[in-house]
Protein backbone atom coordinates (compact mmCIF):
# COMPACT_ATOMS: atom_id res chain seq x y z
CA UNK A 1 0.00 0.00 0.00
CA UNK A 2 2.87 2.36 0.84
CA UNK A 3 4.48 1.89 -2.59
CA UNK A 4 1.21 2.55 -4.40
CA UNK A 5 0.62 5.73 -2.41
CA UNK A 6 4.20 6.93 -2.98
CA UNK A 7 4.31 6.38 -6.75
CA UNK A 8 0.64 6.82 -7.68
CA UNK A 9 1.10 10.37 -9.01
CA UNK A 10 4.21 9.55 -11.07
CA UNK A 11 2.38 7.61 -13.76
CA UNK A 12 -0.89 7.91 -15.59
CA UNK A 13 -1.81 4.24 -15.42
CA UNK A 14 -4.47 2.93 -13.09
CA UNK A 15 -3.49 0.59 -10.26
CA UNK A 16 -6.03 -2.10 -9.61
CA UNK A 17 -6.03 -5.31 -7.64
CA UNK A 18 -6.26 -6.97 -4.27
CA UNK A 19 -4.10 -5.77 -1.41
CA UNK A 20 -3.47 -7.37 1.95
CA UNK A 21 -6.19 -9.34 3.66
CA UNK A 22 -9.05 -7.77 1.72
CA UNK A 23 -10.29 -11.09 0.31
CA UNK A 24 -9.22 -14.14 -1.65
CA UNK A 25 -10.02 -13.51 -5.34
CA UNK A 26 -12.18 -16.02 -7.20
CA UNK A 27 -11.12 -17.55 -10.52
CA UNK A 28 -13.28 -14.96 -12.29
CA UNK A 29 -11.61 -12.09 -10.41
CA UNK A 30 -8.13 -13.42 -11.26
CA UNK A 31 -9.19 -13.67 -14.91
CA UNK A 32 -10.53 -10.12 -14.92
CA UNK A 33 -7.34 -8.75 -13.34
CA UNK A 34 -5.06 -10.60 -15.78
CA UNK A 35 -7.17 -9.83 -18.85
CA UNK A 36 -7.32 -6.09 -18.21
CA UNK A 37 -3.74 -5.41 -17.08
CA UNK A 38 -0.58 -4.40 -18.91
CA UNK A 39 1.56 -5.63 -16.00
CA UNK A 40 0.75 -8.10 -13.24
CA UNK A 41 2.49 -8.36 -9.88
CA UNK A 42 1.82 -11.19 -7.44
CA UNK A 43 3.51 -10.93 -4.06
CA UNK A 44 2.15 -13.54 -1.72
CA UNK A 45 2.79 -15.96 1.09
CA UNK A 46 1.66 -18.89 -1.02
CA UNK A 47 2.35 -20.28 -4.46
CA UNK A 48 0.57 -18.34 -7.16
CA UNK A 49 -0.57 -21.67 -8.58
CA UNK A 50 -2.41 -22.43 -5.32
CA UNK A 51 -4.75 -19.56 -6.22
CA UNK A 52 -5.53 -20.42 -9.85
CA UNK A 53 -6.28 -23.57 -11.80
CA UNK A 54 -3.48 -24.60 -14.17
CA UNK A 55 -5.75 -25.54 -17.09
CA UNK A 56 -7.55 -22.22 -16.72
CA UNK A 57 -4.29 -20.24 -16.73
CA UNK A 58 -2.89 -22.05 -19.78
CA UNK A 59 -6.10 -21.41 -21.74
CA UNK A 60 -6.20 -17.68 -20.98
CA UNK A 61 -5.69 -15.13 -23.72
CA UNK A 62 -3.95 -12.12 -22.16
CA UNK A 63 -2.46 -10.10 -25.06
CA UNK A 64 -2.44 -6.79 -23.15
CA UNK A 65 -0.32 -8.19 -20.32
CA UNK A 66 3.32 -7.44 -21.17
CA UNK A 67 4.93 -8.18 -17.82
CA UNK A 68 4.24 -10.75 -15.10
CA UNK A 69 6.22 -10.74 -11.86
CA UNK A 70 5.51 -13.62 -9.46
CA UNK A 71 7.03 -13.32 -6.00
CA UNK A 72 5.62 -16.13 -3.94
CA UNK A 73 6.35 -18.62 -1.17
CA UNK A 74 6.63 -16.13 1.65
CA UNK A 75 5.57 -18.43 4.48
CA UNK A 76 3.46 -18.02 7.56
CA UNK A 77 1.61 -20.54 9.71
CA UNK A 78 -1.71 -19.67 8.03
CA UNK A 79 -0.32 -19.96 4.50
CA UNK A 80 1.31 -23.30 5.27
CA UNK A 81 -2.00 -24.66 6.58
CA UNK A 82 -3.90 -23.41 3.53
CA UNK A 83 -1.41 -25.02 1.14
CA UNK A 84 -1.54 -28.30 3.06
CA UNK A 85 -5.33 -28.33 2.91
CA UNK A 86 -5.35 -27.41 -0.78
CA UNK A 87 -2.81 -30.09 -1.73
CA UNK A 88 -4.70 -32.75 0.24
CA UNK A 89 -7.71 -32.35 -2.06
CA UNK A 90 -5.75 -32.44 -5.35
Amino acid sequence: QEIIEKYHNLCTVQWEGVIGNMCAPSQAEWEQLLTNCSAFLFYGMERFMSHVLLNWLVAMNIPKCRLVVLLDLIRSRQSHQRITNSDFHK
Side-chain angles (χ1 to χ4, degrees):
Q1 186 68 35
E2 179 183 337
I3 292 171
I4 292 173
E5 290 172 4
K6 182 176 180 180
Y7 294 105
H8 184 265
N9 294 328
L10 295 178
C11 56
T12 58
V13 296
Q14 179 182 1
W15 291 82
E16 184 178 330
V18 179
I19 299 172
N21 294 330
M22 292 170 48
C23 66
S26 67
Q27 291 295 310
E29 290 170 316
W30 283 115
E31 184 173 357
Q32 182 181 14
L33 288 170
L34 282 165
T35 302
N36 296 325
C37 72
S38 59
F40 177 79
L41 170 66
F42 177 85
Y43 181 81
M45 294 183 177
E46 302 160 1
R47 297 183 311 262
F48 175 68
M49 295 307 297
S50 71
H51 291 274
V52 298
L53 300 171
L54 180 59
N55 57 347
W56 165 84
L57 185 62
V58 171
M60 277 194 69
N61 183 14
I62 51 174
K64 294 180 187 176
C65 189
R66 302 286 186 203
L67 174 69
V68 175
V69 178
L70 301 177
L71 304 170
D72 60 6
L73 296 179
I74 301 167
R75 299 295 174 133
S76 72
R77 181 179 302 141
Q78 293 90 354
S79 67
H80 180 70
Q81 185 63 44
R82 182 181 179 281
I83 290 170
T84 302
N85 291 340
S86 174
D87 288 347
F88 179 75
H89 298 291
K90 291 182 182 177

